[in-house]
Amino acid sequence: MKTVDNYNFKNKKALLRVDFNVPFDKDFHITDDTRIRAALPTINKILHDGGAVILMSHLGRPKDVYEEKYSLKHIVKHLSELLGKEVKFASDCIGDAAKNAASELKSGEVLLLENLRFHKQETAGTESFAQELSSLGDVYVNDAFGTAHRAHASTTIIAKFFPNDKVFGYVMANELENINKVLNASEKPVTAIMGGAKVSGKILIINKLLDKIDNLIIGGGMSYTFVKAQGGNIGISLVEEDKMEVALKILKDAKEKGVNIYIPVDTVIADAFANEANKQTVDINNIPDGWMGLDIGPLTEKKYAEVISNSKTILWNGPMGVFEMENFESGTRAVANAIVTATQKGAYSLIGGGDSVAAINKYGLADKVSYVSTGGGALLEYIESGSLPGVEAIDK
Ligand code: AMP
């Protein structure tokens, strides 16, 4: 893998694609600067070599035109505090504003370009736009793992204009290394825990994983499609009737491939989708009419914790229930705790995908697992297809 460590940036202007898509409060204070902090080592490596850094990022989903609330100017002050140096700002990512600022930039200096997505050519992956961006720098560095699954101008197309001068930043390299640890795991048993709302979003990834894992643990809303497909009564639980065949096929394939598949045996049900709803615990195959399953039950929790804590490699994607509601978070919390236990016993654990990351953070356990991925969609797509457009563009 070609990373910034294999490149000397002395007297070079590095065009660095980062993911500064951070959340703000109403006064434009950054409420979570994790993504900005993540990019600092790559920025500092370039500066330390004696290069200059031209930062490119998207922020939010503007409607292809300038919108004040999505301006990256709101990031300049904080970034400059974190770096301990001035950060220059160009009011557009292409055109004279960008060209002049980039050409005046000296070694050791940092320039942030305005939001790439103020131009629709960014997400369209327009070649001429990518070329215009490329003219600003001498070398291309991609450190935006969260958007590496998109063939956008700044994440993928631009790489072709730097045939010999394109490398991965540390965030990208780290993410890829950690996912590959799971996908090429030699430490068995390998356990994948899949939860979340729907089967539909997870079918491809489950199919891919069946060749790589020993245990597949199913939880969350998608469980009820498996239960109904096998003839259980699921009341008014979340279900995808059109995915019942797929669920049965997953069960069959898992059996054929020697993967132990675990479906919940009991469930915590509610008479409304609300934290204060009436609740009870029942056999997952016998949910009364008018009730819905919102969490795995205690027997399932116990079984899952046992399987997880005896695993050597673990991938977790998706909560076991509606963990946002205190009364239905027990299963998700139990899984998070079991992953921590396994990690303490020497297992390698990767948490990936939006809501399991939110869960592990909610329980304050993020630093007790091996790795928490920063890019949910990109991570899942990498597992599904074995690569990403943004990765191929540099590897090619
Ligand atoms: P996903 O984005 O597919 O990983 O789904 C995550 C969401 O699934 C979370 O917001 C959970 O609240 C929700 N979820 C988990 N279990 C259930 C369930 N049993 N019924 C309804 N929603 C659920």
Side-chain angles (χ1 to χ4, degrees), residues 63-381:
K63 296 177 192 74
D64 305 328
V65 288
Y66 181 82
E67 286 178 71
E68 161 95 17
K69 66 175 172 178
Y70 294 123
S71 173
L72 280 166
K73 72 181 180 193
H74 302 299
I75 282 178
V76 171
K77 185 165 166 281
H78 189 63
L79 176 62
S80 112
E81 279 164 13
L82 289 173
L83 283 170
K85 65 161 57 212
E86 183 199 356
V87 171
K88 297 174 189 285
F89 183 70
S91 59
D92 198 352
C93 63
I94 54 167
D96 286 342
K99 268 187 219 148
N100 294 339
S103 71
E104 284 164 15
L105 200 68
K106 297 186 194 61
S107 293
E109 293 185 337
V110 179
L111 168 68
L112 173 64
L113 303 179
E114 181 57 287
N115 194 345
L116 294 157
R117 290 198 190 164
F118 287 159
H119 297 267
K120 64 176 179 302
Q121 294 93 326
E122 162 63 359
T123 50
T126 306
E127 196 163 317
S128 55
F129 176 76
Q131 187 165 22
E132 212 174 329
L133 288 173
S134 77
S135 70
L136 302 175
D138 308 305
V139 43
Y140 171 62
V141 184
N142 190 350
D143 212 14
F145 181 73
T147 46
H149 57 315
R150 309 275 183 225
H152 293 169
S154 71
T155 63
T156 302
I157 313 303
I158 191 172
K160 71 170 71 162
F161 301 105
F162 298 94
N164 302 312
D165 300 279
K166 48 180 181 175
V167 292
F168 295 111
Y170 293 124
V171 173
M172 279 284 261
N174 231 338
E175 289 277 350
L176 295 172
E177 202 178 293
N178 278 286
I179 306 166
N180 285 329
K181 264 192 210 163
V182 169
L183 297 182
N184 308 322
S186 53
E187 296 290 322
K188 291 172 184 299
V190 182
T191 299
I193 307 150
M194 303 297 291
K198 292 177 169 180
V199 187
S200 46
K202 314 273 162 112
I203 298 165
L204 293 173
I205 175 166
I206 290 178
N207 282 337
K208 260 281 157 3
L209 287 171
L210 286 180
D211 288 323
K212 301 179 183 290
I213 58 178
D214 305 293
N215 303 309
L216 174 62
I217 288 179
I218 303 279
M222 72 162 108
S223 316
Y224 306 94
T225 299
F226 283 85
V227 173
K228 183 159 188 190
Q230 292 176 287
N233 295 320
I234 59 159
I236 51 167
S237 305
L238 204 62
V239 66
E240 289 168 282
E241 304 268 353
D242 61 337
K243 293 291 174 290
M244 295 204 299
E245 285 299 315
V246 173
L248 291 175
K249 173 98 172 40
I250 290 172
L251 292 170
K252 184 167 162 277
D253 290 350
K255 200 167 177 199
E256 277 172 20
K257 293 180 186 208
V259 176
N260 304 310
I261 183 160
Y262 297 91
I263 309 289
V265 291
D266 58 348
T267 179
V268 181
I269 57 172
D271 58 359
F273 190 81
N275 190 45
E276 279 69 37
N278 294 308
K279 63 171 192 164
Q280 52 175 314
T281 302
V282 296
D283 175 334
I284 201 162
N285 290 297
N286 288 308
I287 301 177
D289 291 347
W291 290 70
M292 64 186 90
L294 295 185
D295 195 6
I296 56 174
L299 295 173
T300 307
E301 256 182 36
K302 195 158 172 267
K303 183 69 199 165
Y304 285 9
E306 182 189 312
V307 174
I308 294 165
S309 50
N310 288 317
S311 299
K312 286 278 173 283
T313 303
I314 299 162
L315 169 69
W316 182 25
N317 172 264
M320 296 292 102
V322 184
F323 77 105
E324 299 94 333
M325 298 180 192
E326 213 175 289
N327 287 333
F328 304 102
E329 67 160 358
S330 175
T332 302
R333 191 191 279 271
V335 160
N337 283 327
I339 294 172
V340 169
T341 303
T343 312
Q344 280 161 352
K345 289 188 345 192
Y348 173 82
S349 53
L350 171 69
I351 317 302
D355 277 315
S356 23
V357 175
I360 206 87
N361 286 330
K362 180 176 178 196
Y363 305 132
L365 298 173
D367 57 356
K368 295 196 165 67
V369 297
S370 307
Y371 193 73
V372 180
S373 174
T374 58
L379 172 92
L380 299 187
E381 199 166 317

